[in-house]
């Protein structure tokens, strides 16, 4: 056996090999009967139940679970319905839970399944068990006693032989190309506030595959597999929709037919309240349609949930002097979305930087212009009103493009066809018009080429760079041969990067940082840019690892970020007394904060160093962008440097 250290001690192991030595059976005492006693079970299937026989939905065995009698044991392979809340269970009385050791668990949930055996003597019985939550969910248990209910042995299948099946006894000669039956549990990354998937899996059965999802809210009772335009063209036809059903947990569940190798799926969520308004004659059916998209990675076992975004490369026909090398159209959301827009991106001669929709004479006097890489060609006039959509697509329009070399507006004729995926540009008779003043977009940050003066985080990005907390990404050289850098504010921050930021803060505040010994994580490569920072953070009890390593490439969550800052502040004697946890009560999602993170988040919220994502949400498990991290860490530095 290999001992495993706690996260607080580095999550490593010993240097020596150890063995678990077990005496002969007659030298051991019989296991005492638990206070919660087993009782007879007459059911036909393996299940998890209460004493009143009601089911424990979280552990309900799903497709792919198997139960075989093999000699004097029953071999169980259980794929529970939910694999995110619990990490397994132990046999016994729930009243004994508080006496358990930190990581005690008899049956472990690993890779989406629980594999264990029970004696055939337990067939026909319900054995008392206590589910154990993951550390992220507080490491607690349920409020009720549960039981593992096992049917009589004659109701269970015998372990199949290892010998190949005789093709003459019911093989699959005609179905050799059928995908094998399987269920893949997916880890979910929700990027949509009003459409949250809480459970997802790819299920293949009898040659057919479905993407099964469960939604957190109750607002959507139907989905449409396709785009907003396709849904709007069909209109009110529920027979074309994917109908949901309420599951045992009173959540809406959907089974969406997909190809076995599905990777991208446009989806329209259909608002039940607006369907009712449509049926009452109070709204058009299009008002009920909200476009989303699913990105599935079966190999990585992930599902990314986002608002709809479609980018189409355009075939370019350019008969002007703009030197357009490439063009693309990007549509985000739908007419019911706040951010709905279709924008044109032009890659032209670098002298051309700004665009105005209209004549050159009008452009010369215009106060507002658009970036040549983001020209809005379709938008919604009134939010939630599909009839208010305004569009310049598939029309002959006049564009004026600013030439920064000679300070003129060059007028051209354009037609951007969404239907044909083309853009045609031709010269206009008006030609060039001198600009009345020099035209430029928002001023670029002195430190980063992609940070503009009107970006909310500009001062934080520059301050973080000035303090040495954050650096940019190399972006080539400018016209003078000087190195340039991008901040990339929208990019998520990894655990390794956040440790490096704290390490840089320590160097800034305390001038010198003593090297720490290796923390022993397999995913922390020797000599890597983050190695010293992680070793320092672990050695000083600022950060801890995970079951599979440190998680260098995993995005840091808000609660784990809070814990690291809190631990660092304690090390710098900036935390006095126990934080007041009641400050978290105003957030509706406070219960989602892991127990180990509540003091940290409460301390930061109390000081105003961390705010909620809204007045009612502190979003403990959300990931933060580099822009958010810059604002947060500059504020933390200023507090610690008082």
């Amino acid at each position: 056996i290999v001992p495993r250290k706690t996260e607080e001690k580095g999550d490593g192991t010993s240097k020596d090999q150890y063995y678990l030595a077990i005496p002969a059976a007659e030298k051991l005492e019989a296991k005492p009967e638990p206070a919660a006693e087993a009782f007879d079970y007459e059911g036909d299937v393996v299940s998890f139940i209460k004493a009143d026989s009601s089911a424990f939905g979280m552990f309900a065995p799903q497709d792919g679970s198997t139960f075989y009698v093999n000699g004097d044991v029953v071999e169980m392979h259980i794929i529970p319905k939910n694999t995110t809340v619990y990490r397994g269970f132990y046999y016994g009385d729930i009243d004994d839970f508080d006496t358990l050791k930190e990581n005690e668990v008899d049956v472990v949930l690993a890779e989406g399944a629980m594999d264990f055996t029970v004696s055939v003597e337990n067939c026909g019985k319900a054995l008392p068990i206590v589910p154990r939550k993951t550390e992220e969910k507080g490491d607690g248990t349920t409020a009720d006693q549960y039981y593992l209910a096992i049917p009589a042995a004659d109701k269970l299948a015998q372990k199949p032989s290892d010998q190949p099946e005789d093709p003459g006894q019911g093989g699959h000669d005609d179905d050799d190309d059928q995908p094998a039956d399987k269920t893949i549990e997916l880890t979910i990354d929700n990027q949509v506030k009003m459409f949250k998937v809480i459970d997802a899996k790819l299920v293949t059965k009898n040659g057919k595959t479905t993407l099964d999802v469960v939604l957190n809210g109750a607002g959507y009772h139907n989905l449409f597999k396709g785009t907003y335009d396709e849904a709007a063209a069909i209109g009110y036809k529920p027979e074309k929709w994917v109908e949901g059903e309420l599951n045992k947990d009173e959540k809406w569940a959907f089974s969406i037919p997909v190809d076995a190798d599905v990777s991208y799926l446009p989806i329209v969520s259909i608002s039940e309240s607006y369907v009712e308004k449509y049926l009452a004659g109070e709204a058009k059916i299009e008002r009920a349609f909200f476009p989303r998209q699913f990105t599935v990675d079966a190999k990585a076992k992930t599902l990314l949930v986002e608002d709809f975004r479609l980018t189409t490369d355009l075939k370019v026909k350019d008969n002007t002097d703009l030197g357009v090398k490439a063009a693309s159209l990007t549509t985000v959301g739908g007419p019911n979305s706040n951010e709905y827009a279709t924008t044109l991106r032009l890659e032209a001669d670098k002298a051309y930087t700004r665009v105005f929709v209209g004549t050159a004479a009008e452009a010369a006097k215009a106060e507002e212009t658009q970036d040549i890489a983001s020209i809005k060609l379709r938008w919604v006039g009134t939010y939630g009103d599909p009839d208010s959509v305004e569009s310049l697509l598939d029309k002959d329009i006049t564009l004026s493009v600013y030439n920064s070399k000679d300070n003129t507006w060059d007028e051209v004729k354009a037609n951007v066809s969404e239907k044909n995926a083309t853009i045609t540009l031709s010269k206009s008779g008006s030609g060039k018009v001198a600009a009345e003043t020099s035209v430029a977009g928002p001023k670029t940050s002195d430190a980063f080429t992609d940070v503009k003066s009107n970006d909310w985080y500009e001062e934080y990005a520059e301050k973080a760079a000035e303090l040495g907390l954050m650096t940019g990404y190399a972006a080539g050289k400018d016209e003078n041969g000087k190195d340039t850098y991008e901040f990339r504010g929208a990019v998520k921050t990894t655990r390794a990067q956040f440790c490096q930021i704290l390490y840089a803060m320590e160097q800034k505040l305390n001038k010198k940082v003593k090297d720490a010994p290796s923390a022993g994580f397999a995913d922390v490569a020797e000599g890597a840019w983050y190695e010293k920072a992680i070793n320092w953070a672990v050695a000083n009890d600022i950060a801890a690892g995970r079951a599979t390593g440190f998680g260098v490439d995993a995005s840091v969550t808000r609660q784990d970020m809070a814990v690291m800052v809190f631990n660092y502040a304690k090390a710098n004697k900036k935390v006095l007394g126990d934080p007041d946890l009641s400050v978290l009560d105003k957030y509706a999602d406070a219960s989602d904060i892991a127990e180990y993170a509540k003091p940290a988040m409460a301390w930061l919220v109390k000081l105003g160093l961390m705010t909620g994502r809204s007045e009612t949400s502190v979003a403990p498990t959300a990931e933060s962008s580099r822009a958010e991290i810059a604002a947060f860490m500059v504020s933390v530095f200023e507090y610690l440097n008082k």
Side-chain angles (χ1 to χ4, degrees):
I1 60 102
V2 181
R4 187 135 203 177
K5 292 183 178 179
T6 62
E7 292 184 354
E8 291 74 12
K9 295 300 182 182
D11 205 20
T13 184
S14 57
K15 295 182 179 179
D16 300 315
Q17 177 71 56
Y18 286 91
Y19 298 81
L20 172 63
I22 308 170
E26 63 269 21
K27 296 182 179 180
L28 298 173
E29 294 182 7
K31 184 174 181 178
E33 288 292 329
E37 296 183 354
F39 57 86
D40 292 340
Y41 174 67
E42 297 179 356
D44 297 326
V45 296
V46 173
S47 60
F48 291 89
I49 61 174
K50 290 184 185 179
D52 63 3
S53 296
S54 58
F56 180 39
M58 288 282 192
F59 268 17
Q62 302 298 291
D63 291 343
S65 299
T66 57
F67 315 98
Y68 295 125
V69 175
N70 186 9
D72 58 358
V73 298
V74 179
E75 296 180 358
M76 297 198 179
H77 174 74
I78 296 179
I79 301 173
K81 182 175 183 178
N82 188 298
T83 60
T84 60
V85 176
Y86 295 93
R87 57 189 175 101
F89 65 83
Y90 77 93
Y91 296 103
D93 191 324
I94 195 168
D95 291 339
D96 296 332
F97 181 80
D98 291 339
T99 67
L100 291 178
K101 294 180 180 178
E102 183 177 352
N103 287 301
E104 186 172 344
V105 59
D106 292 332
V107 175
V108 178
L109 174 65
E111 297 184 359
M114 296 184 290
D115 291 285
F116 61 102
T117 63
V118 296
S119 170
V120 290
E121 295 177 356
N122 291 313
C123 287
K125 295 180 181 179
L127 309 177
I129 63 100
V130 181
R132 184 139 200 175
K133 291 184 179 180
T134 62
E135 293 181 6
E136 289 76 12
K137 294 298 182 180
D139 204 25
T141 185
T142 55
D144 302 306
Q145 178 73 55
Y146 280 96
Y147 297 82
L148 169 62
I150 309 167
D154 56 7
K155 295 180 180 180
L156 296 172
Q158 293 291 317
K159 176 80 171 181
S161 169
D162 292 334
Q163 296 300 315
E165 183 179 16
D166 182 354
Q169 301 297 320
H172 298 282
D173 295 349
D174 297 329
D175 300 313
D176 287 341
D177 294 332
Q178 260 190 198
D181 287 359
K182 60 181 178 180
T183 297
I184 302 175
E185 297 284 346
L186 303 175
T187 299
I188 305 157
D189 181 3
N190 283 297
Q191 298 294 326
V192 183
K193 293 181 179 179
M194 301 301 292
F195 181 76
K196 186 175 182 181
V197 178
I198 58 175
D199 187 62
K201 56 189 173 184
L202 272 177
V203 179
T204 300
K205 193 171 184 180
N206 298 328
K208 297 181 179 180
T209 300
T210 58
L211 174 61
D212 293 355
V213 299
V214 178
L215 302 184
N216 184 53
Y220 304 109
H221 299 183
N222 292 275
L223 302 177
F224 175 78
K225 189 173 74 168
T227 66
Y228 172 89
D229 290 338
E230 292 168 338
I234 292 174
Y236 181 72
K237 288 190 178 180
E239 66 274 15
K240 298 286 188 180
W241 301 347
V242 178
E243 184 178 5
E245 62 178 22
L246 281 172
N247 62 16
K248 294 178 181 179
D249 300 321
E250 297 296 310
K251 300 293 185 182
W252 285 93
F254 301 84
S255 187
I256 308 167
V258 295
D259 294 331
D261 58 350
V262 62
S263 59
Y264 171 76
L265 188 67
I267 285 289
V268 175
S269 54
I270 302 174
S271 168
E272 185 65 15
S273 63
Y274 276 99
V275 169
E276 293 174 356
K277 289 183 179 181
Y278 164 77
L279 295 175
E282 299 173 359
K284 290 189 174 184
I285 189 60
E286 292 89 344
R287 184 64 180 88
F289 299 154
F290 293 83
R292 323 290 190 187
Q293 63 186 28
F294 292 155
T295 302
V296 183
D297 188 333
K299 185 176 181 181
K301 299 181 180 180
T302 58
L303 173 68
L304 175 62
V305 183
E306 300 174 289
D307 281 323
F308 178 77
R309 177 182 292 270
L310 176 66
T311 297
T312 304
D313 291 330
L314 303 178
K315 185 177 180 180
V316 179
K317 185 177 181 180
D318 183 12
N319 294 317
T320 71
D321 297 328
L322 301 182
V324 177
K325 307 176 184 64
S328 61
L329 271 183
T330 297
T331 296
V332 176
N336 300 320
S337 309
N338 282 321
E339 71 281 8
Y340 176 63
T342 298
T343 56
L344 168 68
R345 177 183 177 86
L346 290 180
E347 295 182 24
D349 185 290
K350 66 180 182 179
Y352 296 100
T353 57
R354 307 292 293 173
V355 173
F356 179 80
V357 179
T359 67
E362 293 170 331
K365 299 178 180 180
E367 294 183 0
E368 294 186 8
T369 60
Q370 301 182 63
D371 192 309
I372 195 170
S374 182
I375 309 165
K376 189 175 292 187
L377 295 182
R378 180 166 57 200
W379 61 94
V380 63
T382 304
Y383 169 68
D385 181 7
D387 289 338
S388 71
V389 172
E390 299 181 41
S391 176
L392 300 177
L393 296 168
D394 291 287
K395 296 178 181 179
D396 291 330
I397 61 175
T398 298
L399 291 179
S400 296
V401 188
Y402 178 67
N403 188 328
S404 60
K405 285 186 177 180
D406 56 19
N407 197 33
T408 61
W409 284 97
D410 294 3
E411 186 178 307
V412 300
K413 298 294 183 182
N415 185 292
V416 181
S417 175
E418 183 179 39
K419 180 179 179 180
N420 299 321
T422 60
I423 178 172
T424 303
L425 298 164
S426 58
K427 294 182 178 180
S428 169
S430 299
K432 297 175 180 288
V433 174
E436 294 188 2
T437 59
S438 179
V439 179
K443 177 183 175 295
T444 300
S445 159
D446 293 333
F448 305 107
T449 60
D450 61 339
V451 178
K452 306 297 190 298
S453 60
N454 60 349
D455 287 334
W456 69 266
Y457 59 90
E458 180 207 11
E459 64 174 300
Y460 299 111
E462 291 198 345
K463 187 65 174 179
E466 177 189 329
L467 293 172
L469 304 182
M470 301 176 74
T471 58
Y473 295 83
K477 297 182 181 296
D478 61 16
E479 61 273 14
N480 299 317
K482 183 180 178 181
D483 290 334
T484 62
Y485 299 90
E486 294 178 345
F487 186 72
R488 301 182 188 176
V491 173
K492 296 293 189 293
T493 303
T494 66
R495 285 167 56 82
Q497 289 170 333
F498 194 74
C499 273
Q500 183 64 42
I501 294 171
L502 278 172
Y503 186 64
M505 183 177 291
E506 172 70 0
Q507 291 174 313
K508 184 70 176 179
L509 289 173
N510 298 319
K511 307 307 179 186
K512 188 177 181 181
V513 183
K514 184 179 179 181
D515 286 346
S518 171
F521 296 115
D523 60 343
V524 177
E526 184 177 353
W529 58 267
Y530 49 74
E531 182 192 17
K532 287 186 177 181
I534 291 176
N535 289 341
W536 163 80
V538 172
N540 289 278
D541 295 325
I542 292 167
R546 296 177 166 185
T548 56
F550 185 77
V552 294
D553 294 323
S555 295
V556 66
T557 63
R558 281 166 58 85
Q559 65 181 7
D560 284 347
M561 178 173 71
V563 169
M564 288 189 232
V565 169
F566 182 63
N567 290 341
Y568 180 69
K570 285 195 294 185
N572 281 271
K573 297 180 173 53
K574 290 290 186 177
V575 179
L576 303 176
D578 295 328
D580 177 11
L581 301 187
S582 67
V583 300
L584 301 174
D585 293 344
K586 64 180 179 179
Y587 298 114
D589 56 356
S591 61
D592 293 340
I593 304 174
E595 289 298 322
Y596 67 83
K598 286 181 178 178
M601 296 199 78
W603 182 75
L604 288 164
V605 167
K606 180 73 173 178
L607 290 172
L609 296 176
M610 177 174 280
T611 58
R613 286 285 177 90
S614 70
E615 290 185 359
T616 59
S617 173
V618 73
T621 59
E623 300 163 352
S624 292
S625 66
R626 281 172 54 82
E628 292 170 321
I629 294 287
F632 175 57
M633 293 306 288
V634 166
S635 298
V636 169
F637 177 87
E638 291 174 346
Y639 174 77
L640 295 178
N641 196 38
K642 288 180 180 179

PDB file of all heavy atoms in Angstrom, residues 497-513:
ATOM      1  N   GLN A 497      -0.927  29.754 -12.156  1.00  0.00           N
ATOM      2  CA  GLN A 497      -0.762  31.184 -12.366  1.00  0.00           C
ATOM      3  C   GLN A 497      -1.109  31.977 -11.110  1.00  0.00           C
ATOM      4  O   GLN A 497      -0.435  32.955 -10.783  1.00  0.00           O
ATOM      5  CB  GLN A 497      -1.641  31.632 -13.541  1.00  0.00           C
ATOM      6  CG  GLN A 497      -1.141  31.155 -14.894  1.00  0.00           C
ATOM      7  CD  GLN A 497      -2.150  31.400 -15.996  1.00  0.00           C
ATOM      8  OE1 GLN A 497      -3.357  31.451 -15.762  1.00  0.00           O
ATOM      9  NE2 GLN A 497      -1.672  31.535 -17.222  1.00  0.00           N
ATOM     10  N   PHE A 498      -2.146  31.543 -10.400  1.00  0.00           N
ATOM     11  CA  PHE A 498      -2.535  32.280  -9.201  1.00  0.00           C
ATOM     12  C   PHE A 498      -1.466  32.144  -8.109  1.00  0.00           C
ATOM     13  O   PHE A 498      -1.180  33.111  -7.390  1.00  0.00           O
ATOM     14  CB  PHE A 498      -3.886  31.803  -8.679  1.00  0.00           C
ATOM     15  CG  PHE A 498      -4.476  32.731  -7.663  1.00  0.00           C
ATOM     16  CD1 PHE A 498      -5.024  33.940  -8.051  1.00  0.00           C
ATOM     17  CD2 PHE A 498      -4.458  32.417  -6.317  1.00  0.00           C
ATOM     18  CE1 PHE A 498      -5.544  34.829  -7.114  1.00  0.00           C
ATOM     19  CE2 PHE A 498      -4.974  33.292  -5.373  1.00  0.00           C
ATOM     20  CZ  PHE A 498      -5.522  34.503  -5.772  1.00  0.00           C
ATOM     21  N   CYS A 499      -0.880  30.956  -7.988  1.00  0.00           N
ATOM     22  CA  CYS A 499       0.234  30.778  -7.038  1.00  0.00           C
ATOM     23  C   CYS A 499       1.392  31.700  -7.402  1.00  0.00           C
ATOM     24  O   CYS A 499       2.035  32.286  -6.526  1.00  0.00           O
ATOM     25  CB  CYS A 499       0.700  29.323  -7.037  1.00  0.00           C
ATOM     26  SG  CYS A 499      -0.208  28.277  -5.893  1.00  0.00           S
ATOM     27  N   GLN A 500       1.653  31.829  -8.699  1.00  0.00           N
ATOM     28  CA  GLN A 500       2.745  32.691  -9.147  1.00  0.00           C
ATOM     29  C   GLN A 500       2.459  34.148  -8.792  1.00  0.00           C
ATOM     30  O   GLN A 500       3.368  34.903  -8.414  1.00  0.00           O
ATOM     31  CB  GLN A 500       2.942  32.552 -10.660  1.00  0.00           C
ATOM     32  CG  GLN A 500       4.101  33.348 -11.226  1.00  0.00           C
ATOM     33  CD  GLN A 500       5.450  32.884 -10.685  1.00  0.00           C
ATOM     34  OE1 GLN A 500       5.694  31.690 -10.555  1.00  0.00           O
ATOM     35  NE2 GLN A 500       6.322  33.826 -10.366  1.00  0.00           N
ATOM     36  N   ILE A 501       1.201  34.572  -8.897  1.00  0.00           N
ATOM     37  CA  ILE A 501       0.831  35.946  -8.540  1.00  0.00           C
ATOM     38  C   ILE A 501       1.067  36.183  -7.047  1.00  0.00           C
ATOM     39  O   ILE A 501       1.615  37.214  -6.640  1.00  0.00           O
ATOM     40  CB  ILE A 501      -0.639  36.215  -8.914  1.00  0.00           C
ATOM     41  CG1 ILE A 501      -0.815  36.182 -10.442  1.00  0.00           C
ATOM     42  CG2 ILE A 501      -1.095  37.566  -8.359  1.00  0.00           C
ATOM     43  CD1 ILE A 501      -2.249  36.210 -10.896  1.00  0.00           C
ATOM     44  N   LEU A 502       0.668  35.228  -6.202  1.00  0.00           N
ATOM     45  CA  LEU A 502       0.902  35.346  -4.759  1.00  0.00           C
ATOM     46  C   LEU A 502       2.401  35.354  -4.434  1.00  0.00           C
ATOM     47  O   LEU A 502       2.863  36.093  -3.560  1.00  0.00           O
ATOM     48  CB  LEU A 502       0.220  34.198  -4.023  1.00  0.00           C
ATOM     49  CG  LEU A 502      -1.275  34.355  -3.730  1.00  0.00           C
ATOM     50  CD1 LEU A 502      -1.840  33.067  -3.170  1.00  0.00           C
ATOM     51  CD2 LEU A 502      -1.523  35.506  -2.757  1.00  0.00           C
ATOM     52  N   TYR A 503       3.135  34.521  -5.151  1.00  0.00           N
ATOM     53  CA  TYR A 503       4.587  34.444  -4.969  1.00  0.00           C
ATOM     54  C   TYR A 503       5.231  35.793  -5.321  1.00  0.00           C
ATOM     55  O   TYR A 503       6.108  36.293  -4.611  1.00  0.00           O
ATOM     56  CB  TYR A 503       5.139  33.341  -5.865  1.00  0.00           C
ATOM     57  CG  TYR A 503       6.615  33.024  -5.699  1.00  0.00           C
ATOM     58  CD1 TYR A 503       7.114  32.517  -4.501  1.00  0.00           C
ATOM     59  CD2 TYR A 503       7.493  33.194  -6.763  1.00  0.00           C
ATOM     60  CE1 TYR A 503       8.462  32.194  -4.364  1.00  0.00           C
ATOM     61  CE2 TYR A 503       8.837  32.872  -6.649  1.00  0.00           C
ATOM     62  CZ  TYR A 503       9.320  32.376  -5.442  1.00  0.00           C
ATOM     63  OH  TYR A 503      10.644  32.056  -5.314  1.00  0.00           O
ATOM     64  N   ALA A 504       4.738  36.411  -6.407  1.00  0.00           N
ATOM     65  CA  ALA A 504       5.246  37.725  -6.806  1.00  0.00           C
ATOM     66  C   ALA A 504       4.871  38.783  -5.769  1.00  0.00           C
ATOM     67  O   ALA A 504       5.651  39.705  -5.489  1.00  0.00           O
ATOM     68  CB  ALA A 504       4.685  38.106  -8.174  1.00  0.00           C
ATOM     69  N   MET A 505       3.680  38.645  -5.178  1.00  0.00           N
ATOM     70  CA  MET A 505       3.263  39.576  -4.134  1.00  0.00           C
ATOM     71  C   MET A 505       4.173  39.457  -2.915  1.00  0.00           C
ATOM     72  O   MET A 505       4.565  40.460  -2.307  1.00  0.00           O
ATOM     73  CB  MET A 505       1.809  39.311  -3.741  1.00  0.00           C
ATOM     74  CG  MET A 505       1.266  40.285  -2.704  1.00  0.00           C
ATOM     75  SD  MET A 505      -0.479  40.013  -2.318  1.00  0.00           S
ATOM     76  CE  MET A 505      -1.238  40.536  -3.852  1.00  0.00           C
ATOM     77  N   GLU A 506       4.514  38.232  -2.554  1.00  0.00           N
ATOM     78  CA  GLU A 506       5.418  38.011  -1.424  1.00  0.00           C
ATOM     79  C   GLU A 506       6.779  38.651  -1.693  1.00  0.00           C
ATOM     80  O   GLU A 506       7.378  39.265  -0.808  1.00  0.00           O
ATOM     81  CB  GLU A 506       5.560  36.512  -1.168  1.00  0.00           C
ATOM     82  CG  GLU A 506       6.628  36.123  -0.146  1.00  0.00           C
ATOM     83  CD  GLU A 506       6.261  36.516   1.283  1.00  0.00           C
ATOM     84  OE1 GLU A 506       5.166  37.095   1.502  1.00  0.00           O
ATOM     85  OE2 GLU A 506       7.071  36.251   2.180  1.00  0.00           O
ATOM     86  N   GLN A 507       7.258  38.527  -2.918  1.00  0.00           N
ATOM     87  CA  GLN A 507       8.541  39.144  -3.267  1.00  0.00           C
ATOM     88  C   GLN A 507       8.462  40.665  -3.182  1.00  0.00           C
ATOM     89  O   GLN A 507       9.409  41.324  -2.758  1.00  0.00           O
ATOM     90  CB  GLN A 507       8.949  38.714  -4.677  1.00  0.00           C
ATOM     91  CG  GLN A 507       9.321  37.237  -4.782  1.00  0.00           C
ATOM     92  CD  GLN A 507       9.581  36.806  -6.208  1.00  0.00           C
ATOM     93  OE1 GLN A 507       8.799  37.110  -7.108  1.00  0.00           O
ATOM     94  NE2 GLN A 507      10.676  36.096  -6.425  1.00  0.00           N
ATOM     95  N   LYS A 508       7.329  41.227  -3.575  1.00  0.00           N
ATOM     96  CA  LYS A 508       7.157  42.677  -3.541  1.00  0.00           C
ATOM     97  C   LYS A 508       7.024  43.188  -2.110  1.00  0.00           C
ATOM     98  O   LYS A 508       7.609  44.219  -1.758  1.00  0.00           O
ATOM     99  CB  LYS A 508       5.903  43.055  -4.345  1.00  0.00           C
ATOM    100  CG  LYS A 508       5.665  44.558  -4.460  1.00  0.00           C
ATOM    101  CD  LYS A 508       6.704  45.212  -5.353  1.00  0.00           C
ATOM    102  CE  LYS A 508       6.404  46.691  -5.549  1.00  0.00           C
ATOM    103  NZ  LYS A 508       7.416  47.357  -6.399  1.00  0.00           N
ATOM    104  N   LEU A 509       6.275  42.453  -1.269  1.00  0.00           N
ATOM    105  CA  LEU A 509       6.030  42.905   0.106  1.00  0.00           C
ATOM    106  C   LEU A 509       7.205  42.631   1.036  1.00  0.00           C
ATOM    107  O   LEU A 509       7.538  43.460   1.887  1.00  0.00           O
ATOM    108  CB  LEU A 509       4.778  42.222   0.664  1.00  0.00           C
ATOM    109  CG  LEU A 509       3.425  42.671   0.088  1.00  0.00           C
ATOM    110  CD1 LEU A 509       2.312  41.783   0.616  1.00  0.00           C
ATOM    111  CD2 LEU A 509       3.153  44.122   0.435  1.00  0.00           C
ATOM    112  N   ASN A 510       7.822  41.463   0.876  1.00  0.00           N
ATOM    113  CA  ASN A 510       8.854  41.043   1.830  1.00  0.00           C
ATOM    114  C   ASN A 510      10.247  40.915   1.213  1.00  0.00           C
ATOM    115  O   ASN A 510      11.156  40.348   1.827  1.00  0.00           O
ATOM    116  CB  ASN A 510       8.436  39.724   2.484  1.00  0.00           C
ATOM    117  CG  ASN A 510       7.140  39.880   3.269  1.00  0.00           C
ATOM    118  OD1 ASN A 510       6.940  40.882   3.943  1.00  0.00           O
ATOM    119  ND2 ASN A 510       6.250  38.897   3.161  1.00  0.00           N
ATOM    120  N   LYS A 511      10.361  41.381  -0.023  1.00  0.00           N
ATOM    121  CA  LYS A 511      11.645  41.529  -0.725  1.00  0.00           C
ATOM    122  C   LYS A 511      12.312  40.212  -1.113  1.00  0.00           C
ATOM    123  O   LYS A 511      12.728  40.028  -2.230  1.00  0.00           O
ATOM    124  CB  LYS A 511      12.625  42.367   0.108  1.00  0.00           C
ATOM    125  CG  LYS A 511      12.077  43.704   0.558  1.00  0.00           C
ATOM    126  CD  LYS A 511      11.530  44.527  -0.594  1.00  0.00           C
ATOM    127  CE  LYS A 511      10.957  45.852  -0.127  1.00  0.00           C
ATOM    128  NZ  LYS A 511      10.294  46.587  -1.233  1.00  0.00           N
ATOM    129  N   LYS A 512      12.395  39.275  -0.182  1.00  0.00           N
ATOM    130  CA  LYS A 512      13.118  38.041  -0.484  1.00  0.00           C
ATOM    131  C   LYS A 512      12.302  36.836  -0.042  1.00  0.00           C
ATOM    132  O   LYS A 512      11.700  36.838   1.019  1.00  0.00           O
ATOM    133  CB  LYS A 512      14.478  38.028   0.225  1.00  0.00           C
ATOM    134  CG  LYS A 512      15.376  36.867  -0.180  1.00  0.00           C
ATOM    135  CD  LYS A 512      16.737  36.966   0.500  1.00  0.00           C
ATOM    136  CE  LYS A 512      17.648  35.817   0.068  1.00  0.00           C
ATOM    137  NZ  LYS A 512      18.966  35.878   0.734  1.00  0.00           N
ATOM    138  N   VAL A 513      12.288  35.821  -0.902  1.00  0.00           N
ATOM    139  CA  VAL A 513      11.528  34.611  -0.598  1.00  0.00           C
ATOM    140  C   VAL A 513      12.481  33.430  -0.548  1.00  0.00           C
ATOM    141  O   VAL A 513      13.234  33.184  -1.495  1.00  0.00           O
ATOM    142  CB  VAL A 513      10.439  34.347  -1.659  1.00  0.00           C
ATOM    143  CG1 VAL A 513       9.609  33.128  -1.269  1.00  0.00           C
ATOM    144  CG2 VAL A 513       9.546  35.567  -1.815  1.00  0.00           C
TER     145      VAL A 513
END
